[in-house]
Structures are given as C-alpha cells and as structure tokens.
Amino acid sequence: MLLTLFIANTALANEQTDTEIQYLLDFVETSGCTFHRNGSDHDSADAADHMRLKYSRGKKYVGSSEQFIDRLATESSWTGRKYTVTCDGNTRPSGEWLHEALDNYRSTAGG
C-alpha cells in the first residue's frame, strides 16, 4: 500500500515538473527577449530550442523545475559562463528571470 502511494506521488510530482518546465520553455520562446550565451545574442525562439536540447540531454539530472533552471538554463555546460537575458532594455541573469517566472506561474496556476 505504501509503495503504491509512493509511486503515485512520484508520478504526480514528475508530471507537475514536466508541466512547469514546458511552461518555462514556452515562456522563454514567446518572451521576445534577447538571450546572451557565450558571447552571442540569440532570439527567444533560439534560446528555447537550446534549452529544450539541453533538457532532452540532461533530463536525468533534473528532479524539479528549480533544478532545470539551476542546472541547465543558467550557464554554459562547456564554458561555465552565466547566461543573461535582456527584456525591455533590462539585462539580468537568466536564472533569476526564470525563477521569477516559475514563482509567478505557480501563484497563478495554483501549483
């Protein structure tokens, strides 16, 4: 009985994490912001595609939406350089921006 409950809770948590990460990827793609990665600028669609690729390759290292942000969406795995994002003339670290978007999503989605 406890094992069944544990498996059900784990599946629900994984589904919620997948839903939140998909939201973040869609948020990035439709943001219209400019992303700065390893000295190059990228539009929001390219940035979302890059994050999708990193997620598909590194999903096993992600157990939560926060880990997705912290482990895959904030810095280059090759150079270690932090990513930044510029929206409406304001540049900030991508991790800070994505954590804020996740918090907003959770507060409006009831998650």
Side-chain angles (χ1 to χ4, degrees):
M1 178 75 164
L2 285 176
L3 180 59
T4 303
L5 184 58
F6 174 76
I7 291 170
N9 284 341
T10 301
L12 183 59
N14 289 341
E15 185 178 319
Q16 180 178 351
T17 296
D18 287 341
T19 298
E20 289 176 346
I21 291 171
Q22 186 57 51
Y23 166 79
L24 290 171
L25 292 169
D26 292 344
F27 175 79
V28 168
E29 186 169 28
T30 61
S31 70
C33 298
T34 301
F35 292 78
H36 316 285
R37 186 176 79 237
N38 292 325
S40 298
D41 290 345
H42 303 271
D43 67 25
S44 56
D46 184 48
D49 286 344
H50 181 71
M51 288 180 195
R52 281 187 188 95
L53 177 66
K54 287 184 77 172
Y55 184 51
S56 72
R57 292 180 176 173
K59 189 173 187 172
K60 64 185 171 192
Y61 302 109
V62 173
S64 69
S65 302
E66 290 84 1
Q67 287 178 349
F68 165 75
I69 294 169
D70 296 338
R71 295 179 179 176
L72 301 177
T74 60
E75 70 181 25
S76 171
S77 56
W78 289 22
T79 66
R81 291 173 66 180
K82 297 284 185 190
Y83 299 156
T84 59
V85 58
T86 301
C87 302
D88 300 322
N90 183 26
T91 300
R92 59 196 287 205
S94 65
E96 175 185 297
W97 183 72
L98 287 168
H99 278 290
E100 184 178 291
L102 179 59
D103 290 344
N104 289 339
Y105 173 75
R106 287 177 173 166
S107 69
T108 60

